[in-house]
Amino acid sequence: MVALVLAAGMFNVDKVTNMIGTITPVMILVLLAAALYGVANPPDDIAAAEAFARESVESPLPNWWLSTFNYIGLSVFSGIAMALIIGGNNWHPRTAGRGGFIGGWLFGAILIVMAVALIFQIDSVHDADLPTLALITEMNPALGIFASVATYLMIFSTALGVFYSLGKRVSVAAPNRYRIIFTVVTLAGFALSFFDFTLLVANVFPWLGWLGIVLIAVLLITWLSKGRRRITAESRRRDKIRALILRRIDRKGRFSREDWVDLARHERAASVEGEGLRDVITADVVDELAGDPDADFDADSFDSEEFWADAKNRPLIPGEVRIVAETEPTAVGEEPAGPGTDAGTTAADAYADAEGSAPGDPTDR
């Protein structure tokens, strides 16, 4: 398991997300199978099953509703780091929000059904370390073997998500040291795994659950106070950026000087700095055009770096300054000496930019 986590953690975030995304449907199917089996075979006396559960199952918390809130907090605390990475890797906040909304409802529904199923079958699973696996094995021994493999994959995806996100967060100031940090935290987690599991559940998990509840409260307050407004504005901004990039790539319309300025202004105001956002959205637009049979577009011959090469000569935003040359001071009448102009931009270009028209301005794209 440690070797698999270490090997998978060396990939980029897209490949790690795809690994977890591939395993998740298997997890859902296994949980649903166990839940449906448990619910479809209720006990003769539900009250007696509940009394048996109270007597035979020990809980570190005094009642069931506190345990419910605590478990939700534990789940959020365990998954929030990887959720932030996966959501942040999506260029559109609205899409990430919809994914989180659907995933949250799906998690809640499965949790409720699983809780009912385990109560219904409490007499046969109360002493099992993995009650869900015991429930599936009771349903069908052959299916229990499959569920064992699926459980192994569940543990792998959970460990990968936790340690990958932790390694990314710890190494944010030094990305080149991520692999070393990821290896260290994974091995530290492996060492901690030798503690008794029931002791861990009884003493550590409740504290993590309450931390998760605090985290939920912080996220909810932030969302209601200013987060929703900012995310909505960022979503609209990125829609505008995508529309402008589509206009420039599709070549059906005229990409004007005003479009250049508008694109630069929106990119500067976006929450993601640098050219990363533009590159991601460009790739999304290319994929859309490649799948459109009516679009006159050849994705194989498209080179993003070459396509945006002239962006450095775009029109300036009001108040923006462009350095066109760096030279040593010279006496009157002497020719300036130095490395020359920057990236082919001449003083005449910069002057024309400042005046409102740029020679060689890429307007008809």
Side-chain angles (χ1 to χ4, degrees), residues 6-12 163-164 167-168 171 174-187:
L6 287 174
M10 299 302 165
F11 294 107
N12 60 33
F163 291 123
Y164 184 84
K168 284 293 185 181
S171 62
N176 57 327
R177 301 183 64 184
Y178 158 73
R179 293 190 173 186
I180 297 175
I181 294 174
F182 172 75
T183 302
V184 171
V185 297
T186 302
L187 294 178

Side-chain angles (χ1 to χ4, degrees), residues 30 133 136-138 140-153:
V30 170
L133 181 58
I136 297 176
T137 303
E138 178 185 331
N140 188 307
L143 191 58
I145 297 176
F146 172 78
S148 299
V149 177
T151 302
Y152 186 87
L153 293 176

Side-chain angles (χ1 to χ4, degrees), residues 73 208-221:
L208 296 180
W210 297 131
L211 288 175
I213 294 297
V214 173
L215 181 60
I216 292 174
V218 171
L219 291 174
L220 184 60
I221 293 172

Side-chain angles (χ1 to χ4, degrees), residues 3-27:
L4 285 175
V5 172
L6 287 174
M10 299 302 165
F11 294 107
N12 60 33
V13 64
D14 290 327
K15 293 183 179 179
V16 172
T17 302
N18 290 336
M19 290 181 196
I20 296 177
T22 303
I23 296 172
T24 300
V26 178
M27 297 166 54

Side-chain angles (χ1 to χ4, degrees), residues 98-130:
R98 288 173 180 171
F101 182 80
I102 295 173
W105 275 104
L106 187 61
F107 166 75
I110 293 177
L111 181 60
I112 292 173
V113 177
M114 275 302 307
V116 174
L118 291 175
I119 291 177
F120 281 3
Q121 306 298 321
I122 192 63
D123 59 332
S124 58
V125 302
H126 71 278
D127 56 349
D129 291 332
L130 298 173

Side-chain angles (χ1 to χ4, degrees), residues 25 29 76 198 233 245 262 284:
L29 290 176
V76 170
T198 56
I245 292 177
D262 203 16
D284 183 74

